[in-house]
């Protein structure tokens, strides 16, 4: 069965960076794009960006351009999201999420990681 | 960037009510819209994809409609398990701000 397992909670100081991992299993890793979505406490869902595990190409939401880097390791079927220059407003649960196969071009994320809480506090 | 606006932000309803949530896009997105349900402390759950297609395993009381810039999610008869927050999303990108369905 499809599983997306994320790394554990992190506490970081303002100005630091955080790197969250998402290990995929149960499907062909390179056949599906992976997205990152975050949710601040009591707030809505915010799309951060997408990575193509086949070639590592990325597209980031304009809000995070210059601060976010998404990478992948095909040998371990893992994607990573690194966010730098952290500030208190970055305190949130970060999710990886997967949708339909690339060739189906359908909207919607039907598999999500369990979420990783990142707390930014001095 | 395409903006997504949901209405209402909060909705109070009773079990058995018919509930409709609207999502408007700032420009046409054809049928590239998905709806999610999220309960407190839980991961979002996909309900509807491509504006009107029901995700496998989702009860048939949920339905979606619309295309272009205006979309609706309808729950035909609200059940106790349906009290949650609902989000729309366009093109696997921007989410709406959410609609919280509360018990009246």
């Amino acid at each position: 069965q499809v599983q997306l397992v994320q790394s554990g909670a992190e506490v970081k100081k303002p100005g630091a960076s955080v790197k969250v991992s998402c290990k995929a299993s149960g499907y062909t890793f390179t056949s599906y794009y992976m997205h990152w979505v975050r949710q601040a406490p009591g707030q809505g869902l915010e799309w951060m960006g997408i990575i193509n595990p086949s070639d590592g190409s990325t597209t980031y939401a304009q809000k995070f351009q210059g601060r976010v880097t998404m990478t992948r390791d095909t040998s371990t079927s893992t994607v990573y999201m690194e966010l730098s220059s952290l500030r208190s407003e970055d305190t949130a649960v970060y999710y990886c999420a997967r949708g339909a196969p690339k060739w189906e071009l359908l909207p919607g994320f039907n598999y999500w990681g369990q979420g990783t809480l990142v707390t930014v506090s001095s | 960037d395409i903006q997504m606006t949901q209405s209402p932000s909060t909705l109070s309803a009773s079990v058995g009510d018919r509930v409709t949530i609207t999502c408007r896009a700032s420009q046409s997105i054809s049928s590239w819209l998905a709806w999610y349900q999220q309960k407190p402390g839980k991961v979002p759950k996909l309900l509807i994809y491509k504006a009107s297609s029901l995700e496998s395993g989702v009860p048939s009381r949920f339905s979606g409609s619309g295309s272009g810039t205006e979309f609706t999610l309808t729950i035909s008869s609200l059940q106790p398990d349906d009290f949650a927050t609902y989000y729309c999303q366009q093109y696997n990108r921007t989410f709406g701000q959410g609609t919280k369905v509360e018990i009246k």
Side-chain angles (χ1 to χ4, degrees):
Chain A
Q1 72 284 20
V2 174
Q3 282 194 304
L4 302 176
V5 179
Q6 297 184 221
S7 49
E10 302 261 13
V11 179
K12 295 291 182 181
K13 294 197 182 301
S17 297
V18 68
K19 191 170 186 177
V20 179
S21 68
C22 170
K23 183 172 176 58
S25 62
Y27 70 95
T28 303
F29 180 64
T30 52
S31 295
Y32 297 76
Y33 299 115
M34 193 73 80
H35 298 255
W36 288 90
V37 176
R38 78 176 186 179
Q39 186 169 38
Q43 302 301 308
L45 301 169
E46 184 172 32
W47 181 79
M48 299 181 68
I50 178 177
I51 182 167
N52 181 349
S54 291
D55 60 10
S57 59
T58 55
T59 300
Y60 303 135
Q62 192 167 7
K63 175 176 179 175
F64 301 102
Q65 291 270 5
R67 276 211 306 145
V68 70
T69 304
M70 296 176 188
T71 56
R72 95 292 189 212
D73 181 343
T74 55
S75 68
T76 60
S77 299
T78 302
V79 296
Y80 300 90
M81 186 284 300
E82 183 170 20
L83 189 62
S84 62
S85 302
L86 290 170
R87 34 210 188 227
S88 58
E89 309 89 88
D90 294 317
T91 294
V93 175
Y94 290 76
Y95 296 101
C96 56
R98 195 213 83 174
K102 294 176 193 175
W103 56 87
E104 289 193 359
L105 297 176
L106 292 174
F109 302 155
N110 52 359
Y111 290 98
W112 294 68
Q114 82 275 19
T116 296
L117 175 62
V118 175
T119 303
V120 182
S121 174
S122 55
Chain B
D1 288 1
I2 299 174
Q3 306 301 317
M4 305 300 292
T5 304
Q6 286 183 234
S7 59
S9 296
T10 307
L11 187 159
S12 297
S14 302
V15 173
D17 284 353
R18 181 181 181 87
V19 165
T20 298
I21 298 168
T22 298
C23 179
R24 289 187 174 87
S26 59
Q27 64 190 73
S28 177
I29 58 170
S30 184
S31 296
W32 270 85
L33 188 95
W35 288 98
Y36 300 87
Q37 176 193 67
Q38 188 180 32
K39 296 179 181 179
K42 301 295 187 182
V43 170
K45 175 185 176 183
L46 180 64
L47 300 175
I48 302 284
Y49 63 95
K50 210 174 179 183
S52 59
S53 296
L54 194 67
E55 175 69 359
S56 176
V58 173
S60 59
R61 62 180 179 272
F62 291 94
S63 64
S65 64
S67 66
T69 61
E70 188 150 337
F71 303 86
T72 58
L73 173 69
T74 299
I75 309 172
S76 60
S77 177
L78 198 66
Q79 299 302 300
D81 191 48
D82 301 338
F83 291 98
T85 300
Y86 294 84
Y87 296 93
C88 61
Q89 182 195 25
Q90 61 89 13
Y91 269 112
N92 287 347
R93 299 289 190 271
T94 320
F95 290 90
Q97 80 278 17
T99 295
K100 185 175 183 180
V101 177
E102 297 180 329
I103 300 173
K104 192 172 185 179

